[in-house]
Amino acid sequence: ETGVTQTPRHLVMGMTNKKSLKCEQHLGHNAMYWYKQSAKKPLELMFVYNFKEQTENNSVPSRFSPECPNSSHLFLHLHTLQPEDSALYLCASSQTKTSGQPQHFGDGTRLSIL
Amino acid sequence: DQQVKQNSPSLSVQEGRISILNCDYTNSMFDYFLWYKKYPAEGPTFLISISSIKDKNEDGRFTVFLNKSAKHLSLHIVPSQPGDSAVYFCAASGILRNSGAGSYQLTFGKGTKLSVIP
């Protein structure tokens, strides 16, 4: 079973829609992350959660709203997105959020905004 | 401004030969460096890491070398196999700007696509 599972794998939505991305990790990790990967750009960290508490918001617009109900689940709620938000959204987890801890990634959600 | 750079977008290597993937960084405060491998339609998979206090770490066919004075690291794969064909990302770990103590961030390069030719 994949350690980090993301659903859906693909999502097409209009700018006025509201949708949510889901991430679940089965590794017993305590830290979870959302990343964005746009075309020809490196992965960019969006949010960090540690023991369900948000510890970092990397200057992400408020149209992205994360939620972490427990250490195993992470959501990214989307509303009134812009075309430039089309990207691959990756979830990751690590045992802790200390330096050097390898992060384990899901396969991502490919998001397209019409 | 990119703090982690992988200047070669692609690399082709013959099967059985050595693959050398390079990465440069600008922030001397990074204290760990990691390499990830990514196949199409899959998420990145952790491969190997190195602490900034070391200059070499080896794991099977994979060896990472760190040159702190040059702010350069490299991943060597030997012998290269067709299954190694993937995109390789270099990542550096350091404290987030404007964050509390202990909040580390991985900063990624853009990746190098390795093709191992049978």
Side-chain angles (χ1 to χ4, degrees), chain B residues 28-115:
Chain B
S28 57
M29 298 303 292
F30 288 137
D31 59 353
Y32 274 92
F33 301 90
L34 301 88
W35 284 94
Y36 283 81
K37 173 181 177 178
K38 185 181 184 302
Y39 292 118
E42 294 183 12
T45 303
F46 170 71
L47 204 52
I48 191 169
S49 65
I50 188 167
S51 163
S52 61
I53 62 172
K54 297 192 174 181
D55 55 18
K56 178 182 174 181
N57 188 25
E58 190 172 352
D59 183 2
R61 296 186 298 115
F62 302 91
T63 303
V64 56
F65 295 93
L66 175 62
N67 182 335
K68 280 190 72 176
S69 61
K71 293 191 176 70
H72 176 84
L73 65 152
S74 60
L75 174 67
H76 292 214
I77 306 173
V78 56
S80 301
Q81 299 173 354
D84 296 329
S85 297
V87 177
Y88 289 79
F89 293 98
C90 170
S93 181
I95 292 179
L96 275 167
R97 290 175 295 177
N98 304 318
S99 75
S103 294
Y104 288 89
Q105 170 176 322
L106 282 183
T107 302
F108 285 83
K110 289 185 179 181
T112 296
K113 183 176 182 180
L114 173 66
S115 299

Side-chain angles (χ1 to χ4, degrees), chain A residues 9 35 37 40-43 45 56 58 88 90 97-103 105-107, chain B residues 2 31-32 34 36 41-44 46 89 93 96 99 102-106 108-110:
Chain A
R9 293 296 310 274
Y35 285 87
Q37 186 176 28
K40 301 192 187 305
K41 286 189 174 181
L43 273 75
L45 179 67
E56 302 301 336
N58 226 11
L88 178 68
L90 288 159
K97 66 179 182 74
T98 52
S99 192
Q101 281 280 321
Q103 293 178 17
F105 286 83
D107 290 337
Chain B
Q2 268 193 274
D31 59 353
Y32 274 92
L34 301 88
Y36 283 81
E42 294 183 12
F46 170 71
F89 293 98
S93 181
L96 275 167
S99 75
S103 294
Y104 288 89
Q105 170 176 322
L106 282 183
F108 285 83
K110 289 185 179 181

Side-chain angles (χ1 to χ4, degrees), chain A residues 61-92:
Chain A
S62 60
R63 57 186 184 269
F64 293 92
S65 174
E67 179 190 359
C68 188
N70 54 62
S71 291
S72 299
H73 293 85
L74 187 64
F75 294 89
L76 188 61
H77 303 300
L78 317 170
H79 60 99
T80 59
L81 294 193
Q82 304 299 309
E84 62 266 27
D85 297 323
S86 297
L88 178 68
Y89 289 84
L90 288 159
C91 172

Side-chain angles (χ1 to χ4, degrees), chain A residues 3-112:
Chain A
V4 180
T5 305
Q6 288 187 245
T7 54
R9 293 296 310 274
H10 301 273
L11 179 61
V12 179
M13 58 188 282
M15 288 191 284
T16 58
N17 290 159
K18 289 184 181 182
K19 295 285 184 184
S20 296
L21 310 184
K22 179 182 174 183
C23 175
E24 183 175 359
Q25 58 98 358
H26 310 277
L27 300 168
H29 289 168
N30 298 310
M32 296 188 78
Y33 312 79
W34 279 117
Y35 285 87
K36 173 183 178 182
Q37 186 176 28
S38 304
K40 301 192 187 305
K41 286 189 174 181
L43 273 75
E44 301 170 66
L45 179 67
M46 299 175 74
F47 301 104
V48 181
Y49 277 82
N50 193 46
F51 291 97
K52 304 188 302 176
E53 300 298 321
Q54 185 182 133
T55 58
E56 302 301 336
N57 173 338
N58 226 11
S59 304
V60 180
S62 60
R63 57 186 184 269
F64 293 92
S65 174
E67 179 190 359
C68 188
N70 54 62
S71 291
S72 299
H73 293 85
L74 187 64
F75 294 89
L76 188 61
H77 303 300
L78 317 170
H79 60 99
T80 59
L81 294 193
Q82 304 299 309
E84 62 266 27
D85 297 323
S86 297
L88 178 68
Y89 289 84
L90 288 159
C91 172
S93 70
S94 62
Q95 184 62 52
T96 66
K97 66 179 182 74
T98 52
S99 192
Q101 281 280 321
Q103 293 178 17
H104 298 254
F105 286 83
D107 290 337
T109 294
R110 174 71 61 185
L111 177 65
S112 299

